[in-house]
Amino acid sequence: MDKYYLLGKGNIAGDEGRIKEAIKYYQEYIESHPTTRDAHSAQYHKRIQYYIRNLLIAYSNLLDLYRENREGEAVDKWINKLKGAYLSSSFGSKNMYSLALIYLDNSHLEDGTDIFRRIIKEQKEYYAPFNNKVTLRAFSKLFKIYKSQGEDEKLASLLESLKSNYPTPDFDLKDRYNLATLYLRHGLEADGEKLLKEIIDDEGYDPDSSIINTLVKTSLKLLNIYHKKKDKDSIKALFEQISQKYPTENLSPNNMYKIAVTYLKCGKKQEGSSLLVEIADQYSYTTFGRKALFLLGRLSQSNEDWDSAIRYYAEYINKYPAPPFFALKAYSRLIDSYWSRDADLELVQNEIKKLSDIVNDISDFETSLNLARDLKWKGMDKLSSATFSLGLSSAREFISENKDSYMALRAQWIIEKYAYALERYDLVQESANSVLEIADKLKKVPLKPAKKEKIEYIKSQTYLWLAKVYSNKEDYPRAKKFLKMFIKDHHNHKEINYARYELGKVYEDENQADEAINMYKMVEDSMWKKKARKRLLKIQNR
């Protein structure tokens, strides 16, 4: 048996910020564990997977602390010990999956990938119904890894393996939904849609049971598919099924909100609005009550029903003064609604004073900078400038307190995007340079893959902001430099077509017609392709 109390003490010490003590307790727990000592009693064998689960929790927490303290050598040492524990013991599929996640978190991608492959292989060779869920999660992780590596052949082979072996007759509702999601995500749209429809058409499900969340997600995913296909008949039939199967008294506010939003998306405005009113009235104490009220204000604005918009936003501000970011958004929209209804400048100025008072007293720097941009767009330059200065001062203080950290990196990124909106181009350059400098330093720090992805995303956006600034300054060589860096380093990015279009414009501004034409032709299906075609025609006409 393990000394579980040591793991508990480590968790408490970590939560209280006593890092050295936490590390000591985790180490003691691991070193005393039966798996580490190869001392497997009869009691241990009876509950072996439970004890291995505890061991993996200790390793995960210990390695997190080492990474946060930038102790790379310690991370490598304890990862090697963990590998030894894996080789000397018998890990079940769920514990293997947890082990693979630990490998990924600590930049051992190949080891994690091997574990995911083994989970899938063992389930195929020694099928166990209770391992379906972890096997599907392993498939999902492998798909993501192969896609990021550009391994198209492995992706195709993995997809074929998934389709040929699953679903099995003992798949439960969640297994079938997760499988359908994988099909849809990786190009098997017809198979995914068929599986979702089978779930909806199955009359064996009790709408009062715990499976209602999955049934609702299935219905909404199917609705979105029909909406994209503009299949009005299927949308109508599915709406009828939803209203019959899922009476609102059986739904959580979360599911009601999801259904309302999907109704609106599919053009059912009256039904969606009615659901939002019900959520706002009955579940005002929840996040979804707050979101429903804000969305009702937006709908009223889009319908130019200014009285209702004012009522909803005023109610929102009174009920939900926190978090301030969204309260300020509501104030801003309230001002817009007053202005649109009355064109009463004095009244608008009074509302703006409320906004500035809130910003001065309680808002964080991101809220202030966001508000400054909104005020700029409304043409209120002086108030915008003052609000921006307050937010910038707060942001710089935050950066100095979190020097060279991911938080400082993100703060600099926030500054650069709002500075661009206020035409503070020198500040955009200054913050962008800081972003790239901090990102370079963080390369040496052991970080989780998710955090690394966020850093790469911020870098990619920084390249685009710098390219915009240099284009505005007609410094075309530097604009080209950053656009080319973006295209080279982020060729699978969702904004790759935008970058190609912008690079084409820069070539065009430099009178390099051939290069512009070649770049415009590389813009693939998107809104940017239409713009690129127009520019191609102009060049040809000239």
Side-chain angles (χ1 to χ4, degrees), residues 232-266:
K232 294 182 179 179
D233 292 337
S234 295
I235 289 175
K236 182 179 178 182
L238 187 51
F239 268 127
E240 291 177 0
Q241 280 186 292
I242 291 173
S243 60
Q244 291 173 7
K245 285 193 171 188
Y246 316 133
T248 56
E249 59 266 23
N250 294 333
L251 295 175
S252 67
N254 180 3
N255 284 326
M256 289 175 67
Y257 185 79
K258 289 177 181 176
I259 291 174
V261 170
T262 306
Y263 278 2
L264 294 172
K265 184 176 181 180
C266 293

Side-chain angles (χ1 to χ4, degrees), residues 35 76 118 198 283 348 385 450-451:
T35 303
D76 292 339
R118 181 175 171 184
E198 288 174 359
Y283 300 100
V348 173
S385 178
K451 186 60 66 68

Side-chain angles (χ1 to χ4, degrees), residues 250-473:
N250 294 333
L251 295 175
S252 67
N254 180 3
N255 284 326
M256 289 175 67
Y257 185 79
K258 289 177 181 176
I259 291 174
V261 170
T262 306
Y263 278 2
L264 294 172
K265 184 176 181 180
C266 293
K268 299 285 186 179
K269 291 187 176 181
Q270 184 176 348
E271 293 86 346
S273 297
S274 297
L275 260 183
L276 290 174
V277 170
E278 188 174 346
I279 298 166
D281 289 344
Q282 294 186 15
Y283 300 100
S284 60
Y285 55 90
T286 68
T287 299
F288 300 100
R290 174 173 64 79
K291 293 170 74 172
L293 192 56
F294 194 95
L295 186 49
L296 283 167
R298 288 179 56 188
L299 286 171
S300 299
Q301 277 187 300
S302 66
N303 294 328
E304 297 187 358
D305 181 356
W306 308 119
D307 287 338
S308 294
I310 289 168
R311 176 165 53 84
Y312 285 131
Y313 287 130
E315 183 182 351
Y316 183 97
I317 295 158
N318 288 328
K319 282 186 175 180
Y320 312 110
F325 182 88
F326 297 107
L328 289 172
K329 281 286 185 185
Y331 265 116
S332 182
R333 288 180 175 272
L334 180 63
I335 292 169
D336 287 341
S337 300
Y338 271 126
W339 174 256
S340 298
R341 188 189 71 177
D342 302 330
D344 185 339
L345 186 58
E346 183 179 351
L347 177 60
V348 173
Q349 293 292 359
N350 289 337
E351 290 300 326
I352 290 173
K353 189 174 185 305
K354 293 179 186 177
L355 270 172
S356 60
D357 288 343
I358 291 175
V359 171
N360 288 335
D361 290 336
I362 63 169
S363 73
D364 57 39
F365 69 83
E366 187 169 359
T367 305
S368 301
L369 297 175
N370 183 280
L371 175 59
R373 180 186 62 181
D374 287 355
L375 294 170
K376 173 73 174 178
W377 288 345
K378 293 179 175 72
M380 299 161 189
D381 293 344
K382 289 184 178 179
L383 185 58
S384 170
S385 178
T387 305
F388 185 85
S389 295
L390 289 170
L392 181 60
S393 175
S394 177
R396 283 174 169 163
E397 183 179 351
F398 177 86
I399 291 166
S400 67
E401 293 171 353
N402 299 276
K403 192 174 181 181
D404 293 338
S405 67
Y406 169 76
M407 293 185 292
L409 176 85
R410 184 178 181 277
Q412 293 284 11
W413 172 55
I414 290 168
I415 291 171
E416 71 183 42
K417 68 177 182 177
Y418 288 119
Y420 184 85
L422 271 71
E423 300 176 356
R424 297 278 298 273
Y425 298 136
D426 291 338
L427 185 56
V428 174
Q429 289 176 245
E430 177 188 320
S431 294
N433 289 335
S434 295
V435 164
L436 299 178
E437 182 181 334
I438 297 172
D440 190 59
K441 291 179 180 178
L442 290 175
K443 284 182 180 178
K444 303 170 185 176
V445 180
L447 296 169
K448 290 185 178 182
K451 186 60 66 68
K452 290 181 178 179
E453 286 181 16
K454 289 178 181 178
I455 292 171
E456 283 302 309
Y457 175 78
I458 289 174
K459 280 180 62 179
S460 72
Q461 297 303 293
T462 297
Y463 290 156
L464 295 180
W465 288 121
L466 284 170
K468 282 186 176 188
V469 168
Y470 288 124
S471 291
N472 290 339
K473 291 184 173 183

